[in-house]
Amino acid sequence: MDIEFNKNEDLNKQLLFQLKKKLETVKLGGGKARIAKEHEKGKLTARERIQYLIDQDSEFLEIGALAADGMYQDEGGCPSAGVVTGMGYVAGKMCMIVANDATVKAGAWFPMTAKKNLRAQEIAMENRLPIIYLVDSAGVFLPMQNEIFPDKEHFGRQFRNNAKMSSMGIIQVAAIMGSCVAGGAYLPIMSDEAMIVDKTGSIFLAGSYLVKAAIGENVDNETLGGATTHCEISGVTDNKYDSDQECLDAIRKIFDKIGAFEKAGFDRAAPKKPLKNEEELYGIFPHDRVKPYDMMEVIGRLVDNSEYEEYKKDYGKTLICATARIEGWAVGIIANQRKIVKNKKGEMQMGGVIYSDSADKAARFIMNCNQRKIPLVFLQDVSGFMVGSKAEHGGIIKDGAKMVNAMANSVVPKFTVILGNSYGAGNYAMCGKAYDPRLIFSWPTAQMAVMSGASAAKTLLQIKVSALKKSGKEISKDAENQLLQEITDKYNEELSPYYAAARLWVDGVIDPLETRKVISKGIEAANNAPITEKFNVGVIQT
């Protein structure tokens, strides 16, 4: 291998080490002392409950592990937004699992907790997946109630989703394994079946202190809303269990008897490993994000047997469109080509930029995949659409709109992986979060913003310097350089994949070697939801 390959490999493995350390910290939730306190109460933690619940020979694909990372520091932080969500198998059935983490602020809901819960419900609804709620929450984090309570995408939206999922025939099972208070009490009771753990589980609209303050009644929490009360008197819950383990066993027995549902019917052959060494991805992918590389070398290490069939390979070369298989699943891949290429006129085109011919090709390829019921995979490393008079005169806006229209109206499931750059309208055209990818993950090398850090910093500096001059203030060259550094540092922090993951702009940050597994699991989930819509792009200018 050459020096550049070795340098890339070293730097990318350093990024991977940082990711692993961050995930290790996040998975401790509120910390070892809080975990010990849960164990003293006879309770399992959220992650222990999930591990006990899922089939032992299966893997759990976590969604939003890095949600709220670096946020709410004045409140002591909120690892994973205080809730663990993801897809796993229970008695052979793929499910979405949502488990409150009581080690983090007693499982209280922060604004990002609500967003993460809604994302989990969205994935369940899109893919027609049964959903299991493992409830253990003190309710809304009151100091931030104005950011979580009344708006459309706030706390109450989950109950609306409960009702919608029920009408769609999506199975919902809830286990009350700790506190379940106030408005949160509606979630388990709007599920198909609600169970409760004796002595540790409780559910009520208002706890004993609030009852005393509101109506003057003296009552303890167990009498007010414990397992015996709700299983023998109110009938709110269906059955009670002596321990977390017994309750989780009961959930497995429910899922063991669920019948089969109609599938979407995506094509799957026997999975095959790539012929090319997957670990070479670390050396192929450049640490310097302006350096060109051949995206085909990346694709060759992601697809089965390293085989793919390119669509219009000699046209629109800055976008690669190809059919292949990933873990046996037939996929249509749309990827940004990062090497410099020549167009049909012999003109040089910059890698990572979408030109008119590339957008036109991608739009047609998306239509073909919809016609053939092939899921779409977008591999992003995009600087944006081409600019300048030549591009504008050539109709770049029209061709870009054609691609966005076809992608937005696609009825086959879409999956997005951000490898490197994800800038401006390129993020949109390549199926960014706004365009409903079933799953969207990034590599540690990803950056997401309106434009690159260098371009943005210079633009913002010009605006600030101009504003200072208008107010009659002069700025020295040293002060200007210091201001540029401050702007660059702030912008680079916001470019980070962890910044995006914290805000759920992506579902997580993954090791490049996990890409195949994530895409496969996503298609497996999507296969549970038959396609009922017809592909229709409406009006497209030609």
Side-chain angles (χ1 to χ4, degrees):
M1 297 297 177
D2 59 23
I3 293 173
E4 193 65 31
F5 181 99
N6 292 335
K7 182 180 176 183
N8 289 337
E9 186 176 44
D10 288 344
L11 291 169
N12 284 326
K13 284 188 174 180
Q14 286 177 32
L15 291 178
L16 185 59
F17 176 78
Q18 293 168 15
L19 169 63
K20 287 179 177 177
K21 295 299 289 183
K22 190 178 281 285
L23 288 173
E24 284 173 8
T25 302
V26 160
K27 288 178 180 180
L28 286 174
K32 292 180 180 178
R34 283 305 312 253
I35 291 171
K37 284 185 178 179
E38 293 300 298
H39 289 166
E40 285 170 14
K41 297 174 187 175
K43 296 167 64 177
L44 300 175
T45 65
R47 293 181 187 280
E48 288 168 345
R49 286 167 179 165
I50 291 171
Q51 198 56 46
Y52 184 93
L53 177 64
I54 63 172
D55 296 347
Q56 295 310 297
D57 59 348
S58 69
E59 287 188 71
F60 180 67
L61 178 61
E62 189 163 351
I63 305 294
L66 293 164
D69 179 57
M71 301 173 69
Y72 312 126
Q73 293 307 301
D74 291 344
E75 288 76 28
C78 188
S80 276
V83 62
V84 184
T85 61
M87 295 186 292
Y89 278 92
V90 177
K93 313 292 191 305
M94 182 178 266
C95 309
M96 171 58 68
I97 303 172
V98 178
N100 300 113
D101 187 349
T103 70
V104 179
K105 295 288 190 296
W109 282 56
F110 283 69
M112 283 307 303
T113 316
K115 187 171 183 178
K116 186 170 173 180
N117 273 263
L118 294 177
R119 174 62 176 150
Q121 289 183 321
E122 177 184 50
I123 291 171
M125 292 167 83
E126 286 178 334
N127 298 296
R128 298 296 180 105
L129 292 180
I131 187 165
I132 298 168
Y133 305 101
L134 305 180
V135 184
D136 194 346
S137 173
V140 169
F141 184 67
L142 287 176
M144 304 186 80
Q145 64 84 28
N146 64 316
E147 298 179 49
I148 191 174
F149 171 63
D151 208 349
K152 181 178 178 181
E153 299 297 329
H154 282 178
F155 188 70
R157 184 77 171 182
Q158 67 172 336
F159 312 131
R160 174 263 189 196
N161 287 350
N162 284 145
K164 288 289 185 181
M165 282 191 279
S166 184
S167 71
M168 294 167 66
I170 295 173
I171 296 160
Q172 300 175 82
V173 174
I176 301 152
M177 311 184 86
S179 296
C180 183
V181 300
Y186 288 105
L187 182 144
I189 309 311
M190 293 185 74
S191 299
D192 302 342
E193 195 156 345
M195 45 198 64
I196 187 168
V197 180
D198 198 16
K199 300 298 186 287
T200 54
S202 59
I203 177 168
F204 33 64
L205 295 181
S208 56
Y209 292 126
L210 186 54
V211 168
K212 173 68 174 175
I215 64 173
E217 181 185 359
N218 286 305
V219 62
D220 63 87
N221 282 337
E222 187 64 26
T223 303
L224 184 66
T228 298
T229 294
H230 286 311
C231 286
E232 298 180 18
I233 301 172
S234 71
V236 166
T237 51
D238 301 313
N239 288 296
K240 64 179 178 179
Y241 301 90
D242 290 333
S243 67
D244 282 8
Q245 290 89 339
E246 283 188 22
C247 189
L248 296 168
D249 287 338
I251 294 174
R252 290 187 57 81
K253 288 174 184 175
I254 290 171
F255 277 82
D256 183 49
K257 297 171 182 65
I258 293 173
F261 290 85
E262 185 184 353
K263 300 288 185 182
F266 302 125
D267 186 68
R268 190 177 199 186
K272 295 178 181 177
K273 286 278 190 183
L275 286 180
K276 295 183 177 180
N277 186 352
E278 294 174 72
E279 293 204 1
E280 290 176 354
L281 287 170
Y282 300 131
I284 291 168
F285 198 85
H287 185 75
D288 183 347
R289 55 201 335 101
V290 300
K291 285 193 174 179
Y293 65 93
D294 190 351
M295 181 63 86
M296 297 306 305
E297 291 298 319
V298 173
I299 292 172
R301 287 159 178 82
L302 294 178
V303 300
D304 289 12
N305 219 34
S306 300
E307 292 179 346
Y308 47 80
E309 296 79 42
E310 266 197 86
Y311 173 75
K312 291 182 181 284
K313 70 174 182 177
D314 296 321
Y315 177 74
K317 294 181 181 179
T318 64
L319 267 181
I320 297 165
C321 297
T323 52
R325 291 188 184 275
I326 292 178
E327 292 286 341
W329 295 104
V331 295
I333 296 170
I334 301 172
N336 303 108
Q337 176 57 283
R338 289 295 306 190
K339 71 177 184 180
I340 297 168
V341 297
K342 284 184 180 180
N343 67 9
K344 58 187 176 181
K345 297 177 183 176
E347 301 165 331
M348 303 306 293
Q349 293 184 328
M350 290 187 291
V353 177
I354 302 174
Y355 290 77
S356 283
D357 53 358
S358 303
D360 174 67
K361 174 172 84 170
R364 181 59 182 266
F365 181 72
I366 290 167
M367 293 178 192
N368 283 349
C369 287
N370 274 270
Q371 183 85 339
R372 299 166 192 173
K373 202 153 74 168
I374 301 174
L376 292 165
V377 174
F378 292 82
L379 301 178
Q380 284 197 20
D381 192 353
V382 58
S383 302
F385 284 88
M386 191 58 194
V387 297
S389 60
K390 187 173 182 180
E392 298 293 357
H393 295 172
I396 185 66
I397 296 174
K398 177 185 67 178
D399 290 319
K402 187 190 303 182
M403 177 180 173
V404 171
N405 195 331
M407 181 272 300
N409 283 297
S410 174
V411 297
V412 295
K414 307 183 291 271
F415 303 90
T416 302
V417 183
I418 304 171
L419 282 58
N421 301 332
S422 180
Y423 297 151
N427 169 278
Y428 298 162
M430 293 293 292
C431 196
K433 184 67 182 289
Y435 292 86
D436 300 321
R438 296 290 178 97
L439 293 176
I440 176 169
F441 280 84
S442 71
W443 287 4
T445 45
Q447 290 189 345
M448 190 186 306
V450 171
M451 61 182 75
S452 71
S455 300
K458 288 173 185 175
T459 303
L460 291 168
L461 177 67
Q462 289 171 4
I463 293 168
K464 286 202 173 189
V465 169
S466 177
L468 286 169
K469 286 180 178 178
K470 280 184 181 178
S471 63
K473 297 176 183 176
E474 289 296 325
I475 183 168
S476 69
K477 192 65 181 174
D478 286 345
E480 190 174 312
N481 288 337
Q482 183 180 346
L483 184 57
L484 177 61
Q485 189 60 51
E486 289 172 1
I487 293 169
T488 301
D489 289 346
K490 181 178 183 298
Y491 200 86
N492 283 339
E493 178 190 349
E494 295 173 1
L495 280 171
S496 163
Y498 300 113
Y499 191 90
R503 288 151 184 81
L504 286 177
W505 300 344
V506 295
D507 292 317
V509 183
I510 58 170
D511 181 337
L513 299 186
E514 294 181 312
T515 306
R516 281 168 50 83
K517 179 185 75 176
V518 167
I519 292 170
S520 174
K521 186 147 284 194
I523 299 175
E524 205 167 341
N527 201 37
N528 288 282
I531 296 173
T532 56
E533 298 175 86
K534 287 188 176 180
F535 179 62
N536 186 347
V537 294
V539 177
I540 291 185
Q541 291 188 358
T542 56

